[in-house]
Amino acid sequence: MFANISFIIKMVPLLLKMKIKMKFETASDFQIRKAIIKNFAVPFCALMFTLGTSNNVYSQTLEEAREMIKAGNYSAAKDAFSVLIKKNANRADVNKWYGEALYETGNYAEAEKYLKFAANKRIQGAYLYLGKLYQKQYEFEKAVTNLEKYQTFLKKDPEQSLVVDTIIEQCEMGLRGISRIEKVQIVDSLIVDKNKFFQYYKLSQETGKLIDYKLLGVADPGELAVGFESQRGDQRVFAMKNGNSGMDLFKSTKLHGDSWSEPVIFPEGINSAANENFPFVLTDGLTIYYSSDSYPTLGGYDLYVSKFNSSNDTYFTPERLSMPFNSPFNDYLYAIDEENNVGWFASDRYQPEDKVVIYLFIPGPEEKEYYNELTPEQSIRFAKISSIFETWPENANYDSLLHSIYQAENTANDKKGEFIFVINDKIIYYNYDDFESKEALEQFKKYFSANNQLTDTNKELEELRLKWTKSNNKEKESLKSKILQLESRKSNLDEQVPELEVQARNTEINFLKKK
């Protein structure tokens, strides 16, 4: 379009000067001008109108993208601004919006460039997002600097200033924490669905077991929660809603048969005005690990440990675990299998909203060991757990340990059956023969197959993405199409699997009700 406009602009004076020979060879000046208007000016005006309309559409697109930001639809906003930024690379506000969308979708490294550009132009919101971004990247000094700059704009907004004060305090806590990183050998890591992550903790029978809250017979907490049952099967610890104080930890004792006592809130020292969740008790029955988002935290849920004080029936002041167990993200469910001398904890650090990463580690000695004389870059890498192999001693080999854990898992599965499928609070199926509805069985088989495909697809995707990061440009190009195909397959399966699961469960429940 722009080429046509340029051509017409150049042609008009040229034609006037030449008085257009050929078809207008004997025409008067008046006739020449008339012909020019008819043959060139009208199309020119039409093109100019089109250009104006195009600009108007562009403005509307920019406004729509801003509305996506306001509505919290950051994924769509990211896609929109990725196009808009190309035409407005020098607009500070567009850089800020794009950086915000990138941050909110977890693209921290990419967001930095655009937020820094906007901050250099003194766009106040850019300082806030740069501060939060540096916090997530463990660059706490930079975070505080930007957050304090943002606060200079908040003299008339004390409420928002208090929010920023909280983030600054988290960053200052991070500064202290990153100078004292605990030595821990991370053996393995696994990215799994957040809503069932506890199923991947392979605790021995001598340790106890983790329980889905649906099987506890207590009120739905309204959010992700996991209970713990002691190795003797006589004590349960779990989180419940407790009025205005959020989630608190409760315990229950087994009575006769399958009945349990009414939940009793934990003694003073554990629960707070915020949320406590994801409890785990060591075999001594006294030491409890749990997560809390009680102010102040490093970010979201932090992991804590406390011990029962039998002299006055309270708990000692809880101790926050060190980095790398805690992070500026949510950290969940620290559990130790003393029988096999392994532990697990989960975190949503650098994960999509519906995923967590589970770390398998070797518990350290009672007297904690900490890294000494690390460079700032090394401190960040160990705190982030950028590489599990960096945490291993020289010549370490964990093959036999991993084999024993997963072999135990397979043995347990052989005893129970082919799968675990929760029908309701009281009914769990382990084999295909457990289904009473043929229709539900066929639906379950489709679900089971699709779920296995999803697991395989996720694994293959992770391997290809890792391979892509280590490849040259030519290799990356060949991997790109495979990754895109797998992402498309994953997207379809992500929709199908939960629908098939619900369908099979509801069909079986309806069949049982009619019996």
Side-chain angles (χ1 to χ4, degrees):
M1 181 178 70
F2 295 103
N4 290 337
I5 293 170
S6 176
F7 172 75
I8 292 171
I9 292 171
K10 290 178 181 177
M11 284 298 295
V12 170
L14 182 63
L15 290 170
L16 284 170
K17 183 176 181 181
M18 294 175 61
K19 295 192 177 179
I20 315 179
K21 294 186 179 179
M22 300 171 59
K23 132 180 211 184
F24 307 119
E25 198 168 36
T26 60
S28 65
D29 286 351
F30 174 77
Q31 290 172 318
I32 291 172
R33 291 189 184 96
K34 185 177 178 181
I36 289 173
I37 291 171
K38 181 179 179 181
N39 290 278
F40 291 93
V42 172
F44 174 77
C45 291
L47 283 167
M48 291 303 292
F49 174 78
T50 303
L51 178 61
T53 304
S54 175
N55 282 334
N56 186 48
V57 170
Y58 170 74
S59 298
Q60 288 175 353
T61 304
L62 180 58
E63 185 60 35
E64 287 169 0
R66 289 178 60 187
E67 288 302 316
M68 293 173 190
I69 292 279
K70 292 177 183 177
N73 188 0
Y74 293 106
S75 181
K78 176 176 72 73
D79 293 339
F81 278 113
S82 68
V83 176
L84 293 167
I85 194 70
K86 295 174 183 177
K87 298 180 179 180
N88 281 273
N90 294 321
R91 275 190 61 169
D93 54 350
V94 176
N95 275 268
K96 184 266 176 185
W97 292 323
Y98 188 32
E100 180 179 344
L102 287 167
Y103 171 88
E104 294 290 355
T105 52
N107 296 277
Y108 302 122
E110 192 178 353
E112 182 178 2
K113 168 187 171 182
Y114 301 99
L115 292 173
K116 284 177 72 173
F117 182 92
N120 288 335
K121 302 294 184 181
R122 294 188 58 79
I123 300 294
Q124 67 181 65
Y127 293 116
L128 172 62
Y129 271 94
L130 265 180
K132 295 198 294 185
L133 182 150
Y134 287 131
Q135 179 190 20
K136 292 288 194 292
Q137 293 179 323
Y138 292 72
E139 298 185 69
F140 299 111
E141 287 187 18
K142 287 183 179 180
V144 171
T145 298
N146 281 278
L147 291 167
E148 288 177 343
K149 286 181 180 178
Y150 179 65
Q151 275 197 318
T152 62
F153 295 96
L154 299 177
K155 294 177 181 178
K156 296 182 180 180
D157 192 350
E159 188 174 333
Q160 177 69 356
S161 186
L162 285 173
V163 172
V164 179
D165 281 338
T166 301
I167 304 174
I168 289 174
E169 189 165 353
Q170 290 176 338
C171 293
E172 290 172 343
M173 190 183 299
L175 268 173
R176 295 190 294 272
I178 205 165
S179 64
R180 191 171 170 78
I181 302 170
E182 187 175 336
K183 281 188 177 182
V184 56
Q185 298 169 47
I186 309 291
V187 178
D188 200 5
S189 65
L190 182 66
I191 297 171
V192 301
D193 290 340
K194 182 177 180 179
N195 62 359
K196 55 183 179 182
F197 77 94
F198 65 92
Q199 296 177 6
Y200 295 86
Y201 286 50
K202 307 304 177 184
L203 301 177
S204 63
Q205 291 183 352
E206 294 78 10
T207 298
K209 62 180 179 181
L210 301 170
I211 311 172
D212 190 323
Y213 79 87
K214 296 174 186 175
L215 306 180
L216 290 171
V218 298
D220 186 343
E223 61 178 85
L224 183 64
V226 180
F228 173 75
E229 186 176 298
S230 65
Q231 71 275 25
R232 293 181 181 177
D234 59 349
Q235 296 284 335
R236 284 178 174 176
V237 183
F238 47 88
M240 281 177 58
K241 286 282 187 184
N242 189 23
N244 296 326
S245 66
M247 301 273 283
D248 282 338
L249 295 187
F250 290 76
K251 57 184 177 179
S252 186
T253 304
K254 192 170 187 179
L255 303 175
H256 299 291
D258 293 329
S259 61
W260 290 81
S261 68
E262 287 296 314
V264 177
I265 195 166
F266 257 63
E268 183 182 348
I270 295 291
N271 292 314
S272 70
N275 295 296
E276 280 68 45
N277 204 340
F278 308 106
F280 174 83
V281 181
L282 289 183
T283 52
D284 63 10
L286 303 173
T287 307
I288 182 170
Y289 291 91
Y290 66 98
S291 296
S292 175
D293 61 1
S294 176
Y295 172 82
T297 71
L298 273 172
Y301 274 111
D302 280 357
L303 293 165
Y304 288 83
V305 61
S306 184
K307 199 161 189 172
F308 184 66
N309 183 358
S310 56
S311 63
N312 58 5
D313 290 335
T314 63
Y315 277 81
F316 290 105
T317 302
E319 176 187 347
R320 180 186 284 105
L321 301 191
S322 308
M323 294 183 184
F325 298 109
N326 278 318
S327 72
F329 299 82
N330 289 298
D331 302 295
Y332 310 109
L333 193 55
Y334 181 104
I336 293 178
D337 185 335
E338 296 169 274
E339 182 73 14
N340 292 312
N341 193 37
V342 291
W344 291 263
F345 73 99
S347 177
D348 64 8
R349 60 188 78 177
Y350 306 112
Q351 298 303 315
E353 188 175 354
D354 60 343
K355 300 288 183 182
V356 297
V357 56
I358 297 173
Y359 294 101
L360 176 67
F361 66 96
I362 307 294
E366 189 171 342
E367 188 67 31
K368 304 297 183 186
E369 295 182 25
Y370 300 91
Y371 288 106
N372 296 316
E373 300 179 357
L374 294 177
T375 65
E377 292 77 16
Q378 287 174 324
S379 295
I380 289 175
R381 286 187 63 78
F382 280 111
K384 283 183 175 181
I385 317 180
S386 296
S387 168
I388 64 174
F389 303 110
E390 290 179 353
T391 70
W392 293 10
E394 190 174 354
N395 299 321
N397 189 317
Y398 298 108
D399 289 347
S400 59
L401 172 64
L402 292 172
H403 177 76
S404 66
I405 292 171
Y406 296 125
Q407 183 63 38
E409 172 195 352
N410 292 335
T411 302
N413 285 340
D414 289 341
K415 291 178 182 178
K416 289 181 179 179
E418 300 165 279
F419 50 78
I420 299 175
F421 189 62
V422 177
I423 300 298
N424 57 31
D425 292 352
K426 297 180 179 179
I427 302 174
I428 303 175
Y429 288 173
Y430 299 101
N431 297 284
Y432 291 116
D433 292 341
D434 293 335
F435 282 90
E436 298 194 32
S437 165
K438 291 182 179 180
E439 183 183 0
L441 174 58
E442 292 306 311
Q443 291 169 346
F444 175 79
K445 287 180 177 179
K446 290 179 182 178
Y447 154 72
F448 195 60
S449 174
N451 196 44
N452 287 337
Q453 289 179 47
L454 180 59
T455 301
D456 293 341
T457 301
N458 282 329
K459 184 178 180 181
E460 191 174 353
L461 256 177
E462 287 177 26
E463 291 173 352
L464 284 178
R465 284 168 176 161
L466 180 61
K467 188 176 180 181
W468 189 88
T469 61
K470 299 177 180 180
S471 302
N472 57 40
N473 290 336
K474 186 177 179 180
E475 292 169 336
K476 284 180 177 179
E477 195 60 36
S478 64
L479 289 171
K480 184 178 178 181
S481 61
K482 295 179 183 177
I483 290 173
L484 288 174
Q485 288 175 5
L486 286 174
E487 286 178 341
S488 177
R489 186 194 305 171
K490 171 181 161 50
S491 179
N492 291 332
L493 289 169
D494 280 336
E495 292 182 10
Q496 292 175 21
V497 168
E499 291 176 0
L500 291 169
E501 180 183 11
V502 171
Q503 188 181 44
R505 180 178 292 113
N506 289 344
T507 300
E508 184 71 6
I509 289 172
N510 290 334
F511 183 86
L512 295 174
K513 285 179 179 178
K514 293 175 182 178
K515 285 186 64 178

